[in-house]
Amino acid sequence: MTALLVLIVIAIFQGAFLLMLVVFIGVRRQVERQRRQGFLSARQAISEPLSAWLSGSGEIESVVVALRALPAAAVVGFALHLARTTLPLDARDALAASLRQEPWVRRTISRASSRFWTRRLDAARCLALAGTPDDSALLETLLNDPVPGVAVAAADALPRVADARLVAVVLDRMVSLPTVMRLYLQGILRELRTIVEPLLLARLSTRAAPRALAHWVELAGALELPAVFDVVAQLAVHQSVQVRVAVARALRRSPRQQSVDVLKMMLHDADPTVRATTAHALGELASPTVLPDLLGAARDVDWRVRYRATLALSQLGEAGRTALRTLRTDSDRYVADMAMLISGLSDGALLEMVEA
Amino acid sequence: MIGSPMLLAFFHRFLWWADHGVLFYFLALNSFYAMLLILSIPELWRHWRLADDEHLSRLITSEALPALSLLVPAYNEEVTITASVLSFLTLEYPKFEVILINDGSKDGTMDVLLSEFDLYEVPPAYPRVLGSQRVRAVYRSRRHSRLIVLDKENGGKADSLNAGINAARHEYVVAVDADTLIEPDALLRLARPFVLGTSVAAVGGTLRVANGCVVKMGRVVDARVAPVWLSGCQVVEYLRAFLFGRLGWNTIGGSLIISGAFGLFRREYLLAIGGYKTGNVTEDMDLVVRLQRYLYENNIKAEMPFIPDPVAWTEVPPQIHVLARQRERWHRGLIGTMITHRDLLFNRKYGAMGMVAIPYFFFGEMLAPLIELFGYVITVLALALGAVDLRFALLLLVCAIGYGSLLTVWAIVLEDLSFRRYRRRGDLARLLLFAFIEGLGFRQLTVWFRLQAFWKYLRGSDSWGVMTRQGFGAPK
């Protein structure tokens, strides 16, 4: 009887809980619908003062007031999206300066040390919207946040804060980050080239750890800083393969004879990865003087070097294509096969393979 | 003899213990499900919040993402192959290639590909690290530079995927079925672990049921819940399995399932474990177990997370006999994998996989149909012999079915709170309805199908059976 009673109680609880969940879904849908309608009408209310301000017939204050009317949960994301997609750079700065005085902005930024990561995420997003050099310390905390999503959002605030010390922190930290995050940071640092250049020059030394050095060389290539390329070229004989690969990769962004000469030398490197990357870089630079060197590399013992060199030949215009046709009848079957593959490709396929 | 009071008393005692043993088993199993559900809530919330983040959206559409090779094995897909390939080629992702592997189709699949995509033959200039049936020719497309087609002799799905892994040029490969409908931004979402700095060996996405959905040009344009009992029950079953089952495993670690119809893998690791094993009827689970094993044995700290929001849609069996074949095959594959890797069971050396995941799949999944059948039999016997009160048995059944419904409704709540693919009230009502009726018939059917797997496994069957599909379209 007792067991039966227990089961009855369980069944009643289950039924009640099930009913509660079903009611919850219904109520939640209704609330969500109302919230969405409120958001849409508030967003609609922004477009008029925004157009007036951008055309010079209205004041920025009316945009700020309209933003204030948005629901708290949506305002940061919406303002950020607005700044990124609609506003020119000077208008973005003006909006940032005005928003900085807003209570909701100050409140959100003050949560940068919250124990809830979502609040820290909002703080980081808000700094990307309305950060100033005074926020340097807060931003540093957020850049080191254990939640990667927060750190990514914080990195986006770097151009707004534009602090050399913070950029140095990022340069040192990025060497230990995974590839995707590192490449993303490279994109952000492009906006801070003048700050990055001296910091990078100070780091590009043979004494640096090879892994870090390779990443800084990679950054130098991505930022296309002419003064840094001279230092990068000197690292072509570095003992670390990782560094030499990074040098070859970086120099493809440096269309100068000096870079071509260094790369020609690197085509004879002992390591096949370096040779393959160098062949790729020479193809990108497309200097007609490298034809004999690439023809030699197309007969390399390593298939990756043959592949990259043959692809590079296809980037050298008519002379390269003629050379490819010659290779198709090469006595070495593997050389001829590779030439056959590359010379038979459509332009689109070639482009796609070169980029990969 | 049976009338002997002593024997009857013993039999009563046995029934009582057996009944309580089965009860304890289901209590333990359902508690584990409840734990998975609780663990899945913060995980789901985290992904939902991050999926909505502006910065991550910018990052994942940037050039920083790693290039992917999409591997699409195809066998006799003449009718749908053009729309499928076009839908793959137009996915939103910065850098990827599509490698379609024609697995010796007997219909006109290859002819359709040759003419529709203006293919031209190129020399197979890549090293063949994994063994596979002979690749007859490699083609590229003049119209779509991202498309590569391998025409090979028939060897099955695993064999085709191995040929595709050989030809893949990129660091990561995504295995998809030719008839899987991938949402346009699913690859970008699948790449979130890279963005979050996770070292990744594999990533699993969500599979949802496409039956009843409106499909145009290989895309689900309107998510609907099929009004048919069999398909509808599978909709809630998939929701439950993916939305909280697999998310919960993210926290525990040692997840053993990444669907073969939509999963991302690091190519280097696939090559290291010898690729897919041919001859296994569920090649995806076998691969994941071997991959986890490899990571543990080589002390490689790489995760295999499940991400809830990258969605691919698949057609589920709309007929009972096709469902029977599918479930029987899945369970046979599970038995095979568990038997092959039995040394992992409660093996501390393999961490969460050895101590939690494998025991769960062994006792909670593989043996579940046997124990459930045993439970039904002894309950009927106990009722017949008066060892159990009828009201008690009926109430127990109500509670068991109610608990299953509760878990499913909770999964529907999670879906509605987060990604909400089914927006119509009618679809929501259907989901709730199927959540209640799934336990009445559908569940028992699948138990029967899975029981057949034991018999076939013992007979050494390795057949896949024919999986007939109706094709996608507007709801009927």
Side-chain angles (χ1 to χ4, degrees), chain B residues 367-382:
Chain B
L367 296 182
L370 287 177
I371 294 172
E372 194 162 338
L373 177 73
F374 181 63
Y376 290 135
V377 171
I378 57 161
T379 305
V380 171
L381 269 179

Side-chain angles (χ1 to χ4, degrees), chain A residues 147-150 152 178 181, chain B residues 46-47 50 56 191-198:
Chain A
V147 177
V150 177
V152 167
M181 301 271 279
Chain B
R46 187 171 75 95
H47 283 290
L50 291 175
L56 282 181
R192 194 178 307 125
F194 300 116
V195 175
L196 296 179
T198 316

Side-chain angles (χ1 to χ4, degrees), chain A residues 47-118:
Chain A
S47 57
E48 198 179 318
L50 184 69
S51 309
W53 171 52
L54 289 176
S55 63
S57 59
E59 294 297 319
I60 192 168
E61 277 68 35
S62 45
V63 178
V64 173
V65 170
L67 277 174
R68 207 182 292 156
L70 280 172
V75 66
V76 181
F78 178 72
L80 198 60
H81 184 73
L82 180 79
R84 289 250 168 75
T85 56
T86 318
L87 303 182
L89 206 59
D90 52 341
R92 212 182 296 174
D93 289 341
L95 182 69
S98 299
L99 283 178
R100 189 61 211 213
Q101 308 309 319
E102 282 292 285
W104 65 265
V105 172
R106 278 183 291 163
R107 194 171 51 245
T108 312
I109 290 177
S110 70
R111 290 172 179 164
S113 313
S114 167
R115 64 194 173 97
F116 299 109
W117 69 268
T118 48

Side-chain angles (χ1 to χ4, degrees), chain A residues 164-196:
Chain A
R165 192 184 60 81
L166 267 190
V167 173
V169 169
V170 169
L171 282 182
D172 292 332
R173 192 169 169 249
M174 70 189 293
V175 300
S176 58
L177 291 176
T179 313
V180 177
M181 301 271 279
R182 216 174 50 244
L183 293 179
Y184 184 62
L185 280 176
Q186 284 179 7
I188 289 168
L189 291 176
R190 271 199 198 105
E191 295 178 46
L192 297 162
R193 287 160 54 113
T194 48
I195 297 177
V196 174

Side-chain angles (χ1 to χ4, degrees), chain B residues 258-281:
Chain B
I258 285 178
S259 172
F262 186 42
L264 179 149
F265 299 90
R266 192 167 172 148
R267 183 171 174 267
E268 174 196 347
Y269 296 148
L270 292 185
L271 292 175
I273 62 169
Y276 287 84
K277 203 161 103 184
T278 50
N280 189 308
V281 286

Side-chain angles (χ1 to χ4, degrees), chain A residues 301-331:
Chain A
V301 289
D302 191 284
W303 78 273
R304 289 167 297 169
V305 184
R306 291 200 301 273
Y307 170 65
R308 277 292 161 198
T310 316
L311 259 179
L313 281 171
S314 75
Q315 293 171 276
L316 297 186
E318 192 47 46
R321 281 193 287 276
T322 310
L324 266 180
R325 278 194 290 276
T326 319
L327 284 178
R328 283 167 61 168
T329 53
D330 199 279
S331 55

